[in-house]
Amino acid sequence: MITVNGKTSAVAYSGQSILGLLNKLEVQTDRVVVERNGVIIKREVYDSLLLENQDQIEVISFVGGG
């Protein structure tokens, strides 16, 4: 099980890349930062870094305004 934004997911994300997770969540990668187990992940490794069981993922979206 992997926790995404504080919610434990019943979907088996283990073994998928962070990019794969973001695509399934329909998240635009250019407007987010991903934190895995308390560490911010560089965008360059989203497609190669694989998720593991018990990972804690936070997807943080940027919001603009004025």
Side-chain angles (χ1 to χ4, degrees):
M1 294 267 201
I2 290 176
T3 301
V4 179
N5 292 342
K7 297 179 183 176
T8 302
S9 176
V11 178
Y13 290 119
S14 293
Q16 285 192 40
S17 68
I18 289 177
L19 183 60
L21 170 67
L22 294 175
N23 286 338
K24 284 199 178 228
L25 296 174
E26 298 180 356
V27 173
Q28 292 182 5
T29 60
D30 60 335
R31 296 189 177 246
V32 297
V33 170
V34 177
E35 183 181 282
R36 178 184 180 211
N37 302 323
V39 177
I40 294 175
I41 304 302
K42 292 184 180 184
R43 192 169 278 120
E44 297 84 38
V45 298
Y46 282 6
D47 62 342
S48 61
L49 184 62
L50 302 181
L51 299 171
E52 298 177 8
N53 196 29
Q54 303 300 318
D55 274 348
Q56 302 278 327
I57 303 295
E58 293 293 327
V59 179
I60 303 158
S61 298
F62 295 107
V63 179

Coordinates of all heavy atoms in Angstrom, one line a residue:
M1 N 0.8 -1.2 0.0 CA 0.0 0.0 0.0 C 0.9 1.3 0.0 O 1.9 1.3 0.6 CB -0.9 0.0 1.2 CG -1.9 -1.1 1.3 SD -3.4 -0.4 0.5 CE -4.6 -1.5 1.2
I2 N 0.4 2.2 -0.7 CA 1.1 3.5 -0.8 C 0.1 4.6 -0.3 O -1.0 4.6 -0.7 CB 1.6 3.8 -2.2 CG1 2.8 2.8 -2.5 CG2 2.1 5.2 -2.4 CD1 3.3 2.9 -3.9
T3 N 0.6 5.6 0.4 CA -0.2 6.7 0.9 C 0.1 7.9 0.0 O 1.2 8.3 -0.2 CB 0.1 7.0 2.3 OG1 -0.1 5.9 3.1 CG2 -0.8 8.2 2.8
V4 N -1.0 8.4 -0.6 CA -0.9 9.6 -1.5 C -1.7 10.7 -0.9 O -2.9 10.6 -0.7 CB -1.4 9.3 -2.9 CG1 -1.3 10.5 -3.8 CG2 -0.6 8.1 -3.5
N5 N -1.0 11.8 -0.5 CA -1.6 13.0 0.1 C -2.5 12.6 1.3 O -3.6 13.1 1.5 CB -2.5 13.7 -0.9 CG -1.6 14.4 -2.0 OD1 -0.5 14.6 -1.8 ND2 -2.3 14.8 -3.1
G6 N -1.9 11.7 2.1 CA -2.5 11.4 3.4 C -3.6 10.3 3.3 O -4.1 9.9 4.3
K7 N -3.9 9.8 2.1 CA -4.9 8.7 1.9 C -4.2 7.5 1.4 O -3.6 7.5 0.4 CB -5.9 9.2 0.9 CG -6.7 10.4 1.4 CD -7.7 10.8 0.4 CE -8.5 12.0 0.8 NZ -9.4 12.5 -0.2
T8 N -4.4 6.4 2.2 CA -3.9 5.1 1.8 C -4.7 4.6 0.6 O -5.9 4.6 0.6 CB -3.9 4.1 2.9 OG1 -3.2 4.6 4.0 CG2 -3.4 2.7 2.5
S9 N -3.9 4.2 -0.4 CA -4.6 3.8 -1.7 C -4.7 2.3 -1.8 O -3.7 1.6 -1.5 CB -3.8 4.3 -2.9 OG -4.3 3.9 -4.1
A10 N -5.8 1.8 -2.2 CA -6.0 0.4 -2.4 C -5.5 0.0 -3.8 O -5.3 -1.2 -4.0 CB -7.5 0.0 -2.3
V11 N -5.2 1.0 -4.6 CA -4.6 0.7 -5.9 C -3.2 0.3 -5.8 O -2.4 0.9 -5.0 CB -4.8 1.9 -6.9 CG1 -4.1 1.7 -8.2 CG2 -6.2 2.3 -7.0
A12 N -2.7 -0.7 -6.5 CA -1.3 -1.2 -6.4 C -0.4 -0.3 -7.2 O -0.2 -0.5 -8.4 CB -1.3 -2.6 -6.8
Y13 N 0.1 0.7 -6.6 CA 1.1 1.6 -7.3 C 2.5 1.2 -7.1 O 3.4 1.7 -7.8 CB 1.0 3.0 -6.7 CG -0.3 3.8 -7.0 CD1 -1.2 4.2 -6.0 CD2 -0.6 4.0 -8.4 CE1 -2.3 4.9 -6.3 CE2 -1.8 4.7 -8.7 CZ -2.6 5.1 -7.7 OH -3.8 5.8 -8.0
S14 N 2.8 0.2 -6.3 CA 4.2 -0.3 -6.1 C 4.7 -0.8 -7.4 O 4.0 -1.5 -8.2 CB 4.2 -1.5 -5.1 OG 3.9 -1.0 -3.8
G15 N 5.9 -0.4 -7.7 CA 6.6 -0.8 -9.0 C 6.3 0.2 -10.1 O 7.0 0.1 -11.1
Q16 N 5.4 1.1 -9.9 CA 5.2 2.2 -11.0 C 6.1 3.3 -10.7 O 6.6 3.6 -9.6 CB 3.8 2.7 -10.9 CG 2.7 1.8 -11.4 CD 1.4 2.5 -11.6 OE1 1.3 3.6 -12.0 NE2 0.3 1.8 -11.2
S17 N 6.4 4.1 -11.8 CA 7.2 5.3 -11.6 C 6.3 6.4 -11.0 O 5.1 6.3 -11.0 CB 7.7 5.7 -13.0 OG 6.7 6.2 -13.8
I18 N 7.0 7.4 -10.5 CA 6.2 8.6 -10.1 C 5.5 9.2 -11.2 O 4.3 9.6 -11.0 CB 7.2 9.6 -9.4 CG1 7.7 9.0 -8.1 CG2 6.5 11.0 -9.2 CD1 8.7 9.9 -7.3
L19 N 6.1 9.3 -12.4 CA 5.4 9.8 -13.6 C 4.1 9.0 -13.8 O 3.0 9.5 -14.2 CB 6.3 9.8 -14.8 CG 5.7 10.4 -16.1 CD1 5.3 11.8 -15.8 CD2 6.7 10.3 -17.2
G20 N 4.2 7.7 -13.7 CA 3.0 6.8 -13.9 C 1.9 7.1 -12.9 O 0.7 7.2 -13.3
L21 N 2.3 7.4 -11.7 CA 1.3 7.7 -10.6 C 0.7 9.0 -11.0 O -0.6 9.2 -10.9 CB 2.0 7.8 -9.3 CG 1.2 8.4 -8.2 CD1 0.0 7.5 -7.8 CD2 2.0 8.7 -6.9
L22 N 1.5 10.0 -11.4 CA 0.9 11.3 -11.7 C 0.0 11.3 -12.9 O -1.1 11.9 -12.9 CB 2.0 12.3 -12.0 CG 2.9 12.7 -10.8 CD1 4.1 13.6 -11.2 CD2 2.1 13.3 -9.6
N23 N 0.3 10.4 -13.9 CA -0.6 10.3 -15.0 C -1.9 9.6 -14.6 O -3.0 10.1 -15.1 CB 0.1 9.4 -16.1 CG 1.2 10.2 -16.8 OD1 1.2 11.4 -16.8 ND2 2.1 9.5 -17.4
K24 N -1.8 8.6 -13.7 CA -3.1 8.0 -13.3 C -4.0 9.0 -12.5 O -5.2 8.9 -12.5 CB -2.8 6.8 -12.4 CG -2.3 5.6 -13.3 CD -2.5 4.3 -12.5 CE -2.1 3.2 -13.5 NZ -3.0 2.1 -13.5
L25 N -3.3 9.8 -11.7 CA -4.0 10.8 -11.0 C -4.4 12.0 -11.8 O -5.1 13.0 -11.3 CB -3.2 11.3 -9.8 CG -2.8 10.3 -8.7 CD1 -1.8 10.9 -7.7 CD2 -4.0 9.7 -8.1
E26 N -4.0 12.0 -13.1 CA -4.3 13.1 -14.0 C -3.8 14.5 -13.5 O -4.5 15.5 -13.5 CB -5.8 13.2 -14.3 CG -6.4 11.9 -15.0 CD -7.8 11.9 -15.3 OE1 -8.5 12.9 -14.9 OE2 -8.3 11.0 -15.9
V27 N -2.6 14.4 -13.1 CA -1.9 15.6 -12.6 C -0.9 16.1 -13.6 O -0.1 15.4 -14.2 CB -1.1 15.3 -11.3 CG1 -0.3 16.4 -10.8 CG2 -2.1 14.9 -10.2
Q28 N -0.9 17.4 -13.9 CA 0.1 18.1 -14.8 C 1.4 18.1 -14.1 O 1.5 18.8 -13.0 CB -0.4 19.4 -15.2 CG -1.6 19.5 -16.1 CD -2.0 20.9 -16.5 OE1 -1.3 21.8 -16.2 NE2 -3.1 21.0 -17.2
T29 N 2.4 17.5 -14.6 CA 3.7 17.4 -13.9 C 4.4 18.8 -13.9 O 5.3 18.9 -13.0 CB 4.6 16.4 -14.6 OG1 4.8 16.8 -16.0 CG2 4.0 15.0 -14.6
D30 N 4.1 19.7 -14.7 CA 4.8 21.0 -14.7 C 4.3 21.9 -13.6 O 4.9 23.0 -13.4 CB 4.7 21.7 -16.1 CG 3.3 22.0 -16.5 OD1 2.4 21.3 -16.0 OD2 3.1 22.9 -17.3
R31 N 3.3 21.6 -12.9 CA 2.7 22.4 -11.9 C 2.7 21.8 -10.5 O 1.9 22.2 -9.6 CB 1.3 22.8 -12.2 CG 1.3 23.7 -13.5 CD -0.1 24.3 -13.7 NE -0.1 25.1 -14.9 CZ -0.2 26.4 -14.8 NH1 -0.5 27.0 -13.7 NH2 -0.2 27.1 -15.9
V32 N 3.5 20.7 -10.3 CA 3.6 20.1 -9.0 C 5.0 19.8 -8.5 O 5.9 19.8 -9.4 CB 2.8 18.7 -9.0 CG1 1.3 18.9 -9.3 CG2 3.4 17.7 -10.0
V33 N 5.1 19.6 -7.3 CA 6.3 19.0 -6.7 C 5.9 17.7 -6.0 O 4.8 17.7 -5.4 CB 6.9 20.0 -5.6 CG1 8.0 19.4 -4.8 CG2 7.4 21.3 -6.3
V34 N 6.7 16.7 -6.1 CA 6.4 15.4 -5.4 C 7.4 15.2 -4.3 O 8.6 15.3 -4.5 CB 6.5 14.3 -6.4 CG1 6.2 12.9 -5.8 CG2 5.4 14.5 -7.6
E35 N 6.8 14.8 -3.2 CA 7.7 14.5 -2.0 C 7.4 13.0 -1.7 O 6.3 12.5 -1.7 CB 7.2 15.3 -0.8 CG 8.0 15.1 0.4 CD 7.4 16.0 1.6 OE1 7.7 17.2 1.6 OE2 6.7 15.4 2.4
R36 N 8.5 12.3 -1.6 CA 8.5 10.8 -1.3 C 9.2 10.6 0.0 O 10.3 10.9 0.2 CB 9.1 10.0 -2.4 CG 9.2 8.6 -2.1 CD 9.9 7.9 -3.2 NE 10.0 6.5 -3.1 CZ 11.0 5.7 -3.5 NH1 12.0 6.3 -4.1 NH2 11.0 4.4 -3.3
N37 N 8.4 10.1 1.0 CA 9.0 9.8 2.3 C 9.7 11.0 2.9 O 10.8 10.9 3.5 CB 9.8 8.6 2.3 CG 9.1 7.4 1.8 OD1 7.9 7.2 2.1 ND2 9.7 6.5 1.0
G38 N 9.2 12.2 2.7 CA 9.7 13.4 3.3 C 10.8 14.1 2.5 O 11.4 15.1 2.9
V39 N 11.2 13.5 1.3 CA 12.2 14.1 0.5 C 11.6 14.5 -0.9 O 10.9 13.8 -1.5 CB 13.3 13.0 0.2 CG1 14.4 13.5 -0.8 CG2 13.9 12.5 1.5
I40 N 11.9 15.8 -1.3 CA 11.4 16.3 -2.5 C 12.2 15.6 -3.7 O 13.4 15.5 -3.6 CB 11.6 17.8 -2.6 CG1 10.7 18.5 -1.6 CG2 11.3 18.3 -4.0 CD1 10.8 20.0 -1.5
I41 N 11.5 15.1 -4.7 CA 12.0 14.4 -5.8 C 12.2 15.3 -7.0 O 11.3 16.1 -7.3 CB 11.1 13.2 -6.2 CG1 10.8 12.3 -5.0 CG2 11.6 12.5 -7.4 CD1 12.0 11.7 -4.4
K42 N 13.4 15.2 -7.6 CA 13.6 16.1 -8.8 C 12.8 15.6 -9.9 O 12.6 14.4 -10.2 CB 15.1 16.0 -9.2 CG 16.0 16.7 -8.2 CD 17.5 16.6 -8.6 CE 18.3 17.3 -7.6 NZ 19.7 17.4 -8.0
R43 N 12.2 16.5 -10.7 CA 11.4 16.2 -11.8 C 12.1 15.3 -12.9 O 11.4 14.5 -13.5 CB 10.9 17.5 -12.5 CG 9.8 17.3 -13.5 CD 9.3 18.7 -13.9 NE 8.3 19.1 -12.9 CZ 8.4 20.3 -12.2 NH1 9.4 21.1 -12.5 NH2 7.5 20.6 -11.4
E44 N 13.4 15.4 -13.0 CA 14.1 14.6 -13.9 C 14.1 13.1 -13.7 O 14.4 12.3 -14.6 CB 15.6 15.0 -14.0 CG 15.9 16.5 -14.4 CD 15.7 17.5 -13.2 OE1 16.1 17.2 -12.1 OE2 15.2 18.6 -13.5
V45 N 13.8 12.7 -12.5 CA 13.7 11.3 -12.2 C 12.3 10.7 -12.0 O 12.1 9.6 -11.6 CB 14.6 10.9 -10.9 CG1 16.0 11.3 -11.2 CG2 14.1 11.6 -9.7
Y46 N 11.3 11.5 -12.3 CA 9.9 11.1 -12.2 C 9.7 9.8 -13.0 O 8.9 8.9 -12.6 CB 8.9 12.1 -12.7 CG 8.7 13.3 -11.7 CD1 9.3 13.4 -10.5 CD2 7.7 14.2 -12.0 CE1 9.1 14.5 -9.7 CE2 7.4 15.3 -11.2 CZ 8.1 15.4 -10.0 OH 7.9 16.5 -9.2
D47 N 10.3 9.7 -14.1 CA 10.0 8.5 -15.0 C 10.9 7.3 -14.6 O 10.6 6.2 -15.0 CB 10.2 8.8 -16.5 CG 11.6 9.2 -16.8 OD1 12.3 9.6 -15.9 OD2 11.9 9.2 -18.0
S48 N 11.9 7.4 -13.8 CA 12.8 6.3 -13.5 C 12.7 5.9 -12.0 O 13.1 4.7 -11.7 CB 14.2 6.6 -13.8 OG 14.7 7.8 -13.1
L49 N 12.2 6.7 -11.2 CA 12.1 6.4 -9.7 C 10.8 5.6 -9.5 O 9.7 6.1 -9.7 CB 12.1 7.6 -8.9 CG 12.2 7.4 -7.4 CD1 13.4 6.7 -6.9 CD2 12.1 8.7 -6.6
L50 N 11.0 4.3 -9.0 CA 9.9 3.4 -8.8 C 9.4 3.5 -7.4 O 10.1 3.6 -6.5 CB 10.2 2.0 -9.2 CG 10.7 1.8 -10.6 CD1 11.1 0.3 -10.8 CD2 9.7 2.3 -11.6
L51 N 8.0 3.5 -7.3 CA 7.4 3.5 -6.0 C 7.5 2.1 -5.3 O 7.5 1.1 -6.0 CB 5.9 3.9 -6.1 CG 5.7 5.2 -6.7 CD1 4.2 5.4 -7.0 CD2 6.2 6.3 -5.8
E52 N 7.6 2.2 -4.0 CA 7.8 0.9 -3.2 C 6.6 0.9 -2.2 O 6.1 1.9 -1.8 CB 9.1 0.9 -2.5 CG 10.3 0.9 -3.4 CD 11.6 1.0 -2.7 OE1 11.6 0.8 -1.5 OE2 12.6 1.1 -3.4
N53 N 6.3 -0.3 -1.7 CA 5.3 -0.5 -0.7 C 5.7 0.3 0.5 O 6.8 0.4 0.9 CB 5.3 -2.0 -0.3 CG 4.0 -2.4 0.4 OD1 3.0 -1.7 0.2 ND2 4.1 -3.4 1.2
Q54 N 4.6 0.9 1.1 CA 4.7 1.8 2.3 C 5.3 3.2 2.0 O 5.5 3.9 2.9 CB 5.6 1.1 3.4 CG 5.1 -0.3 3.8 CD 3.7 -0.2 4.4 OE1 3.3 0.7 5.1 NE2 2.9 -1.2 4.0
D55 N 5.5 3.5 0.7 CA 5.9 4.9 0.4 C 4.8 5.9 0.9 O 3.6 5.6 0.8 CB 6.2 5.1 -1.1 CG 7.6 4.7 -1.5 OD1 8.4 4.5 -0.6 OD2 7.8 4.6 -2.7
Q56 N 5.3 7.0 1.3 CA 4.4 8.2 1.7 C 4.6 9.2 0.6 O 5.7 9.8 0.5 CB 4.7 8.7 3.0 CG 4.6 7.7 4.2 CD 3.2 7.5 4.6 OE1 2.4 8.4 4.6 NE2 2.9 6.3 5.1
I57 N 3.6 9.5 -0.2 CA 3.8 10.4 -1.4 C 2.9 11.7 -1.1 O 1.7 11.5 -0.7 CB 3.3 9.8 -2.7 CG1 4.1 8.5 -3.0 CG2 3.4 10.8 -3.8 CD1 5.6 8.7 -3.2
E58 N 3.5 12.8 -1.3 CA 2.7 14.1 -1.2 C 2.9 14.7 -2.6 O 4.0 14.9 -3.1 CB 3.2 15.0 -0.1 CG 3.0 14.5 1.3 CD 1.5 14.4 1.7 OE1 0.7 15.3 1.2 OE2 1.1 13.5 2.4
V59 N 1.8 15.1 -3.2 CA 1.8 15.8 -4.5 C 1.3 17.2 -4.1 O 0.2 17.4 -3.7 CB 0.9 15.2 -5.5 CG1 0.9 15.9 -6.8 CG2 1.3 13.7 -5.8
I60 N 2.2 18.2 -4.3 CA 1.9 19.6 -3.9 C 1.8 20.4 -5.2 O 2.7 20.5 -6.0 CB 3.1 20.1 -3.1 CG1 3.3 19.2 -1.8 CG2 2.8 21.6 -2.7 CD1 4.6 19.3 -1.2
S61 N 0.6 21.0 -5.4 CA 0.3 21.8 -6.6 C 0.6 23.2 -6.3 O 0.3 23.8 -5.2 CB -1.2 21.6 -6.9 OG -1.5 20.3 -7.2
F62 N 1.1 23.9 -7.4 CA 1.3 25.3 -7.4 C 0.0 26.0 -7.9 O -0.6 25.6 -8.8 CB 2.4 25.7 -8.3 CG 3.8 25.2 -7.8 CD1 4.4 24.2 -8.5 CD2 4.4 25.7 -6.7 CE1 5.6 23.7 -8.1 CE2 5.6 25.2 -6.3 CZ 6.2 24.2 -6.9
V63 N -0.4 27.0 -7.2 CA -1.6 27.8 -7.5 C -1.2 29.3 -7.7 O -0.5 29.8 -6.8 CB -2.7 27.7 -6.5 CG1 -3.9 28.5 -6.8 CG2 -3.0 26.2 -6.3
G64 N -1.5 29.8 -8.9 CA -1.2 31.2 -9.1 C -2.4 32.1 -8.8 O -3.5 31.6 -8.8
G65 N -2.1 33.3 -8.7 CA -3.2 34.3 -8.5 C -2.6 35.6 -8.2 O -1.4 35.8 -8.0
G66 N -3.5 36.6 -8.1 CA -3.0 37.9 -7.8 C -3.9 38.8 -7.1 O -4.8 38.6 -6.4

